[in-house]
Amino acid sequence: MLSQKNVESVTGIPARVFLDTIRGPGFPLPVTRLGKLRLVEREAFVAYLQALAGDPASRRDADGDEQTRVAAVLAAAGLEPIPCARTGRAVAPPHGAGDGRLRRTRGGLVRR
């Protein structure tokens, strides 16, 4: 069994990354709780990591699905994403273009 206490010595993954992974939505393996300790089967977790590393196509599909979901949420709010040529992230429209688009601030995206 792997826990946040021994995961780094077995897999090289820091405890924080392990905990974030097993708490993430869609994590397919059963997690056993013993107080604050979280346990997963070592062989199953290693196989899960190998599947993630060996299947870049599924990660691209997941990224595309995420972009589609984000676009749907923005459209429902009457907004549209503005891609930045360099990073692909949403950016502020040109100065004075207050047409209901998002602008990026230090606290996140804000409707103009």
Side-chain angles (χ1 to χ4, degrees), residues 8-85:
E8 191 162 5
S9 65
V10 173
T11 64
I13 296 174
R16 175 59 30 208
V17 174
F18 171 76
L19 290 172
D20 290 344
T21 301
I22 66 172
R23 291 177 180 155
F27 184 70
L29 303 176
V31 178
T32 303
R33 295 179 179 181
L34 291 174
K36 293 184 179 183
L37 201 62
R38 301 295 181 258
L39 301 166
V40 295
E41 290 186 28
R42 183 182 63 84
E43 294 84 10
F45 187 73
V46 171
Y48 171 73
L49 293 177
Q50 289 173 340
L52 286 179
D55 195 5
S58 67
R59 281 185 277 161
R60 278 195 304 271
D61 292 344
D63 289 344
D65 291 345
E66 169 110 10
Q67 290 175 355
T68 302
R69 287 191 302 269
V70 168
V73 169
L74 289 174
L79 303 171
E80 65 183 43
I82 306 169
C84 176

Side-chain angles (χ1 to χ4, degrees), residues 74 80-84 87-93 102-105 109:
L74 289 174
E80 65 183 43
I82 306 169
C84 176
T87 64
R89 293 184 174 186
V91 296
L102 297 178
R103 66 181 170 92
R104 185 169 292 282
T105 65
L109 296 174

